[in-house]
Amino acid sequence: MTATIAPVDERVPVGRLVPLALQHVLAMAAAPVSTVFLTATALRLSPAETASVLSAVLVLCGAGSLLQSLGVGNVGARLPFIMLPGGAATALFIQIAADHGPAVASGSVLLAAALLLAVVPLYGRIVRLFPPLVMGVTVLLIGIAMVRVAAQLITGPTGQTARGSVVLAGATVAVTLAAYLFLRGVWRQSAVLIGMVAGTAIAVVGGLGTFSPAPGSGFSLPALFPYGTPRFDVLAALPLLVLSLSTLAEITGQTVLNSETSGRKPDPGRDVPRVARADALMSLFAGTLGASLMVTSSENIGISRLTGVRSRFVTAAAGGLLVAVGLLSPLSRAVAGLPPAVVGGSALVVYAVIAVMGVQMLARSELAERSHSMIAALALAVGLLPIVAPTLYDGFPGWIRTLLGSGVVAGTLTAVLLRALFTVADRPPRTGAGERQSGEQQSGEQTPLTTRGRPRSADRAPAPPEGWRRNRGAARGTRC
């Protein structure tokens, strides 16, 4: 009798494998390109340095996709996943680099990746700290902060906006919107990438900007430690440390959603730690190559549904293509020449979408409850203060400026602490043992016991971590 092969484990013929894998690459290409150019523009990297970082990120995306799709031991979920540079993580990387230097930012990536690897055994406890209410506040604050950074890409380092830059950024956003409205399938998912290509063409033809690829040809390996030896500062790394812990909640939703889509029974206890280990491992490599945290994404699920092919070997082939593209130096160097205003226009779209994802997560967190609305309101107020008033904490000691000067850290910690406070305050008072026994004697009633002499409620299985089921609906968009 022939055993039935699950759709996720189906082998796809090479003739179909390459076109299917290429669709996955096209659907995710905008994420690494846009995040690298945001980083390069913010750090004022040269075209050659930008090409090196882009090459590194593409190789990491490919290697991570291979690891998650095929798995090695207890690392990698063996599900059709694609790995990307995290948009939220990149935003925090840029913030740390601007405040403390890129060497500290690279050290922060290494610390955050090591922390995620260390807390995997405590997965069940950590994920309870980041329900949709807390995650919604975090993601919304990241989106708002990075819209401000994207605007600075358009204005330039001097802050004096040229009319041509605004027009070029607006044209890029308009083409991106048109592609999203009128295209379908994989092309619609590539709307940001299409907007960047069209924006660059408009810049060259209309004289609004220049396209200057970095010199060089052939294959090249990414540069190791492009910002110098990483420096480790725990206080400066706090934003990424908090984000790395919160990703466990996102990983749970991503893994459950991908399992259900690919026809495998969800098993978060087994698969979530495998996904987290692969994320942490690739992020350690990212820290040495000048990139931010790498995250596993289920954005490619739309391609799987479109084609009807749910095999993990397709995403593994996509990973192989990404590694090859990353090592193709001419391609990386050509992409390194995009005008900053084009990148800024694309970034406005990307980070505004992240902000909307935070709003969607908050909408699923039952804000009608008085305590939830108060937690969200106060956490957002604390998180927005350093964004709208950057000099607010200038007169305070350095550790306070580092802790409260990051809107993401301040808002997230406020949400976690207030949620814990309201949880304790809302608990009903416990009845004392003597009073309970007296009440039972007076009423003549006894607590129903099982055959082992324990209250019947004690036989119930423990509930899954709070919020992970509700996160399933937000899984596709959260990890940008």
Side-chain angles (χ1 to χ4, degrees), residues 58-386:
L58 291 173
V59 170
L60 289 169
C61 289
S65 301
L66 281 165
L67 185 58
Q68 293 287 22
S69 300
L70 302 180
V72 178
N74 62 354
V75 180
R78 296 170 177 83
L79 287 169
F81 274 127
I82 290 289
M83 188 169 286
L84 299 172
T90 300
L92 298 181
F93 179 88
I94 293 172
Q95 177 185 325
I96 295 171
D99 294 339
H100 306 279
V104 175
S106 291
S108 301
V109 173
L110 295 173
L111 289 174
L115 177 63
L116 178 59
L117 199 60
V119 301
V120 166
L122 304 176
Y123 152 68
R125 297 181 181 180
I126 298 295
V127 76
R128 294 176 186 271
L129 297 175
F130 299 96
L133 176 62
V134 176
M135 285 300 304
V137 169
T138 302
V139 174
L140 178 56
L141 288 173
I142 289 172
I144 293 173
M146 289 314 296
V147 165
R148 183 168 174 265
V149 173
Q152 292 172 351
L153 295 178
I154 301 171
T155 62
T158 62
Q160 297 179 352
T161 308
R163 184 181 303 175
S165 296
V166 177
V167 172
L168 184 55
T172 302
V173 173
V175 174
T176 302
L177 177 61
Y180 188 83
L181 282 175
F182 299 113
L183 299 180
R184 294 292 181 268
V186 64
W187 298 109
R188 185 176 190 178
Q189 291 181 295
S190 304
V192 173
L193 188 62
I194 293 172
M196 294 178 109
V197 173
T200 302
I202 293 172
V204 174
V205 174
L208 300 175
T210 60
F211 176 60
S212 305
S217 61
F219 285 82
S220 66
L221 294 175
L224 192 64
F225 300 123
Y227 313 126
T229 304
R231 293 171 50 203
F232 300 99
D233 185 332
V234 175
L235 280 178
L238 268 178
L240 279 176
L241 294 176
V242 172
L243 183 67
S244 69
L245 293 179
S246 70
T247 58
L248 286 172
E250 300 176 37
I251 290 172
T252 303
Q254 300 271 12
T255 304
V256 171
L257 176 64
N258 203 329
S259 297
E260 291 180 342
T261 302
S262 59
R264 176 187 292 180
K265 182 179 179 181
D267 188 351
R270 178 197 64 196
D271 292 336
V272 170
R274 289 179 175 180
V275 174
R277 290 188 192 100
D279 281 2
L281 181 61
M282 299 314 300
S283 294
L284 286 172
F285 286 112
T288 66
L289 297 174
S292 187
L293 293 175
M294 303 296 295
V295 297
T296 295
S297 173
S298 61
E299 291 180 357
N300 58 301
I301 285 179
I303 302 296
S304 299
R305 289 177 174 173
L306 180 68
T307 62
V309 179
R310 297 173 284 177
S311 172
R312 58 193 174 97
F313 295 103
V314 173
T315 51
L321 288 176
L322 285 168
V323 172
V325 170
L327 296 177
L328 278 173
S329 180
L331 179 61
S332 298
R333 294 179 183 276
V335 178
L338 293 178
V342 172
V343 180
S346 298
L348 285 176
V349 177
V350 171
Y351 291 120
V353 169
I354 289 180
V356 172
M357 291 172 186
V359 174
Q360 291 173 335
M361 295 182 74
L362 285 174
R364 281 187 285 269
S365 62
E366 301 174 1
L367 287 179
E369 292 188 16
R370 184 181 60 178
S371 61
H372 284 194
S373 60
M374 181 61 71
I375 291 170
L378 292 179
L380 287 173
V382 172
L384 288 172
L385 278 175

